[in-house]
Amino acid sequence: MRTTTFEFAAAALGFLGILISGPVGNGLAPEPAQAAEAAPDSKELRIGVSEYPGSFHPNFNGQGIRSYVGWMTYRPLTAYDKDWRLYCALCTELPSRKNGRIRDVTLPDGRKAVAVRFTLRPDAVWGDGTPVTTRDVAFTWEVGSNPAVGVIEQDFFTKDVVKLEVADEKTFILYRQPNTCTPENSKGLILLPEHVERAAYERDPANYKVSSRYESDTTNPGLWFGPYRVTRVEAGASIVLERNPTWYGRKPYFDRIVVRTIENSERLEQALLNGEVDYVSGEYGFTVQRAAQLEPRQQHRFKILWQPGFAYRHLDLNHDHPALGDVRVRRALLHALNRLRINDRLFYGRNILAHADIHPMDRGYEKDVYRYPYDPVRAGWLLDQAGWRAGQDGIRRNEDGVPLEIELWAGAGDRTIELEQQFIEDSWRQIGVRTILKNATARVLFGEILQERRFNGAALFSWISLPHDPQDTVLHSRQIPTAENGWSGQNFLGYSNPRMDRILDQIGQVCDPSANQALWSEMQTLYAEELPALPIFFLSQPYFMPLWLEGVEPTGHQFESTMGIENWRRAEDR
């Protein structure tokens, strides 16, 4: 679960020296003489975000902005609320053994399974008036289990669930692997409209990812069944959503939501201060640095909330790179980064230092894992041990004379990200590593470069995950995207470790609390030792809302605040 480029010249002082002495300017646009502070007369809410979805299809592309927009237009079968509790979003009752919706069974072929019975809400209707039924469940299952298609959660369809049984128009049974600890959790299963999508799917399943009506006919009302439906898109710039007349839940207050993408962070700030947007998303808006700089001057004009959450900032490493497949090189690169200084200077100390990929607030967190303090001397020693020796020009080379060179990819258009890249570049240069900085818009970075593993080195970005999620789509070897599996999965690293695979296979099926926690601890211990990716921070999320907006409830996880969009309203119109 999920970007005009600022050019910074290090000049004679050098980037690191500037960073040690303090933040590099504040980058703030001049305050306008006047800005619209009152609520607009029309019931329209304009949200500013920093990314644009690379796809509108709910089961492709792990880019978080896709789900941020998507939760306004559809709902998963089950979801986590702001208090990290699982609930029914599209079903009538969360299955449990107590209510008889979960039971152990033996299948006709002798296999053991856990039968989980779900009933869809009787009033759920697609935007064109077609009821949401088990026909959509069966079709979603057909698409998800087809390896030629390559959905994100392919393991859910092909491994976690062994059989689907349709009972009637609204009820179905998922037969899950025996001993599944949380069989009631549908892992964000989102239904597809069979009556709209089947023709595009059957025409060519292998190309369904690009031929889907979500891409070719995005404003088709039959694609959406949430509080809003998409009525207009301007690729890369804006998405207009209007009230869905067939929505079964609470009537949304706003007639129209405009999600406007402004990938340049200074321009996004200017748009907020000028009143071009009403609200900057906490999940996909300002960086921590920009928000921390803006807050003291604008706290009287906006409601500003800081939400700790599961945004895991890290460096994905391509393990097919000739150097990065060696754990000694990976450890050296992390030892060379003064992450505490990055946090203090670029993020005002607001982030939590990460030592593995599980957040300290998660109940599965293991605090006693190996930690990598800033130690450039040890970093150099590790590179020596790995056979990368410093040359006369300071750049390390192997015995064949090949330089230690790493591409460093990140999103484009944000000053903080570019400063972060340059700090990493300077840190690695000091231990003899040449870094080539590369940037791309978020939709290109996530939709193409990472998904198809076209980065020759490292990529700097953040995941937002679910509570108590072991990250199997990121770490399991089955989840390595390839042309053969339709580029499904999110193990962009190419990381493959049988021990990690075993842990991830067992972690959802060993249900005894102490034994289960032992697996969580082992997973994080292995992660910290192996460093499949380099952990940096868990980011705070800054929300900049107009004073008149209420009902926004940050969650900190992958089911973002837009899951409650129908509760957002103007304060004076309660």
Side-chain angles (χ1 to χ4, degrees):
M1 266 222 240
R2 126 34 73 160
T3 313
T4 318
T5 299
F6 171 77
E7 297 293 342
F8 175 72
L13 291 175
F15 177 73
L16 185 60
I18 293 175
L19 194 65
I20 290 173
S21 64
V24 185
N26 61 21
L28 297 176
E31 290 191 50
Q34 290 184 327
E37 296 185 15
D41 292 334
S42 66
K43 288 188 177 181
E44 177 179 279
L45 179 67
R46 299 160 298 172
I47 304 174
V49 297
S50 59
E51 301 177 22
Y52 189 85
S55 169
F56 285 92
H57 195 290
N59 294 333
F60 298 128
N61 189 326
Q63 191 183 0
I65 189 65
R66 187 268 304 160
S67 61
Y68 182 82
V69 174
W71 300 140
M72 296 186 258
T73 63
Y74 46 68
R75 292 293 153 87
L77 190 61
T78 63
Y80 284 95
D81 65 16
K82 65 181 180 64
D83 298 315
W84 303 359
R85 294 175 301 201
L86 193 68
Y87 72 99
C88 262
L90 183 58
C91 47
T92 58
E93 183 181 24
L94 193 66
S96 69
R97 294 186 182 276
K98 185 177 180 179
N99 62 24
R101 288 181 173 270
I102 297 178
R103 56 191 179 88
D104 297 318
V105 299
T106 301
L107 298 174
D109 60 7
R111 288 181 298 167
K112 301 293 185 181
V114 180
V116 189
R117 180 165 52 90
F118 288 96
T119 300
L120 301 173
R121 288 186 58 117
D123 47 2
V125 176
W126 296 99
D128 60 2
T130 303
V132 176
T133 70
T134 50
R135 286 175 59 91
D136 303 309
V137 176
F139 174 67
T140 304
W141 198 260
E142 183 181 348
V143 173
S145 58
N146 187 337
V149 176
V151 299
I152 294 175
E153 290 281 359
Q154 193 165 74
D155 261 15
F156 178 74
F157 296 99
T158 61
K159 177 180 174 294
D160 293 0
V161 179
V162 298
K163 180 182 176 183
L164 167 69
E165 178 182 319
V166 171
D168 57 40
E169 190 177 61
K170 288 288 185 176
T171 301
F172 63 97
I173 301 169
L174 297 180
Y175 291 91
R176 306 196 66 170
Q177 292 283 357
N179 304 317
T180 299
C181 300
T182 54
E184 69 279 10
N185 183 357
S186 70
K187 300 191 72 171
L189 177 64
I190 302 166
L191 301 187
L192 305 176
E194 191 268 349
H195 67 293
V196 175
E197 286 290 277
R198 178 167 289 282
Y201 166 71
E202 290 186 341
R203 189 178 304 118
D204 185 358
N207 286 310
Y208 172 60
K209 189 177 294 187
V210 294
S211 64
S212 161
R213 299 288 288 277
Y214 284 97
E215 310 308 326
S216 64
D217 189 20
T218 310
T219 59
N220 187 322
L223 296 170
W224 318 110
F225 65 91
Y228 291 88
R229 60 185 182 88
V230 178
T231 58
R232 183 162 57 86
V233 295
E234 183 181 350
S238 66
I239 304 163
V240 178
L241 307 102
E242 297 181 359
R243 275 202 198 119
N244 181 3
T246 68
W247 165 242
Y248 53 81
R250 180 181 183 180
K251 182 179 179 181
Y253 170 83
F254 293 102
D255 298 327
R256 185 181 303 104
I257 305 287
V258 179
V259 180
R260 184 177 173 193
T261 299
I262 305 174
E263 294 174 334
N264 180 276
S265 57
E266 293 185 21
R267 181 69 190 92
L268 178 60
E269 178 185 315
Q270 188 178 44
L272 178 67
L273 299 183
N274 287 341
E276 298 170 43
V277 298
D278 304 307
Y279 165 43
V280 171
S281 159
E283 295 92 342
Y284 305 101
F286 292 134
T287 62
V288 172
Q289 183 206 41
R290 185 162 293 276
Q293 291 173 338
L294 187 59
E295 181 179 21
R297 295 194 294 121
Q298 300 299 333
Q299 56 188 345
H300 64 289
R301 292 180 53 196
F302 300 98
K303 287 193 292 187
I304 302 172
L305 301 176
W306 289 87
Q307 171 70 33
F310 285 87
Y312 172 52
R313 190 150 194 78
H314 64 286
L315 284 158
D316 254 23
L317 304 175
N318 190 330
H319 287 233
D320 294 337
H321 184 280
L324 298 179
D326 189 326
V327 68
R328 294 170 296 184
V329 175
R330 301 197 295 271
R331 290 172 178 170
L333 294 176
L334 190 54
H335 272 305
L337 295 182
N338 192 335
R339 293 173 292 162
L340 289 174
R341 188 171 298 281
I342 297 176
N343 193 25
D344 288 342
R345 298 304 187 186
L346 289 186
F347 298 97
Y348 289 69
R350 293 243 184 204
N351 301 321
I352 299 172
L353 196 65
H355 304 293
D357 61 339
I358 303 301
H359 195 284
M361 294 168 60
D362 193 282
R363 58 187 169 91
Y365 176 69
E366 172 56 61
K367 70 180 189 312
D368 295 324
V369 299
Y370 187 83
R371 302 188 175 197
Y372 293 82
Y374 173 58
D375 190 344
V377 174
R378 181 163 180 79
W381 179 82
L382 285 166
L383 291 176
D384 285 340
Q385 296 300 304
W388 296 94
R389 304 281 179 171
Q392 292 183 348
D393 59 356
I395 299 299
R396 292 180 179 268
R397 289 172 169 80
N398 64 14
E399 60 182 9
D400 296 324
V402 178
L404 181 47
E405 187 173 278
I406 297 173
E407 292 180 355
L408 177 56
W409 286 86
D414 189 280
R415 182 177 185 177
T416 304
I417 291 174
E418 291 161 4
L419 289 176
E420 199 175 353
Q421 278 184 286
Q422 290 168 37
F423 179 85
I424 294 170
E425 177 192 29
D426 190 83
S427 300
W428 288 352
R429 178 186 56 77
Q430 293 187 44
I431 62 168
V433 179
R434 179 185 294 148
T435 309
I436 301 170
L437 303 186
K438 291 188 174 275
N439 298 85
T441 60
R443 60 188 180 277
V444 173
L445 181 63
F446 289 98
E448 299 174 19
I449 293 165
L450 288 173
Q451 194 67 55
E452 298 180 9
R453 304 190 64 233
R454 288 196 263 132
F455 64 110
N456 186 31
L460 175 68
F461 63 96
S462 305
W463 286 121
I464 297 182
S465 60
L466 297 175
H468 211 54
D469 185 347
Q471 308 295 321
D472 54 324
T473 66
V474 176
L475 294 172
H476 202 291
S477 62
R478 284 194 306 269
Q479 299 294 330
I480 299 174
T482 65
E484 290 72 26
N485 66 18
W487 303 109
S488 67
Q490 294 173 298
N491 185 346
F492 308 145
L493 311 158
Y495 174 66
S496 179
N497 183 312
R499 181 181 167 198
M500 182 65 82
D501 287 351
R502 174 188 59 79
I503 296 169
L504 295 172
D505 287 337
Q506 293 179 355
I507 207 165
Q509 297 185 343
V510 175
C511 305
D512 174 76
S514 60
N516 185 262
Q517 181 57 46
L519 287 169
W520 278 87
S521 298
E522 184 183 1
M523 178 188 69
Q524 292 164 80
T525 299
L526 179 59
Y527 191 102
E529 292 172 353
E530 285 269 299
L531 292 181
L534 304 188
I536 303 179
F537 310 120
F538 290 100
L539 299 175
S540 292
Q541 297 175 342
Y543 292 72
F544 277 69
M545 296 180 283
L547 299 176
W548 47 263
L549 180 63
E550 66 175 22
V552 179
E553 295 185 327
T555 68
H557 55 66
Q558 196 173 335
F559 293 111
E560 294 97 338
S561 57
T562 47
M563 278 286 289
I565 188 70
E566 65 270 34
N567 300 317
W568 297 14
R569 59 201 308 103
R570 280 169 50 175
E572 60 267 35
D573 288 345
R574 282 195 289 270

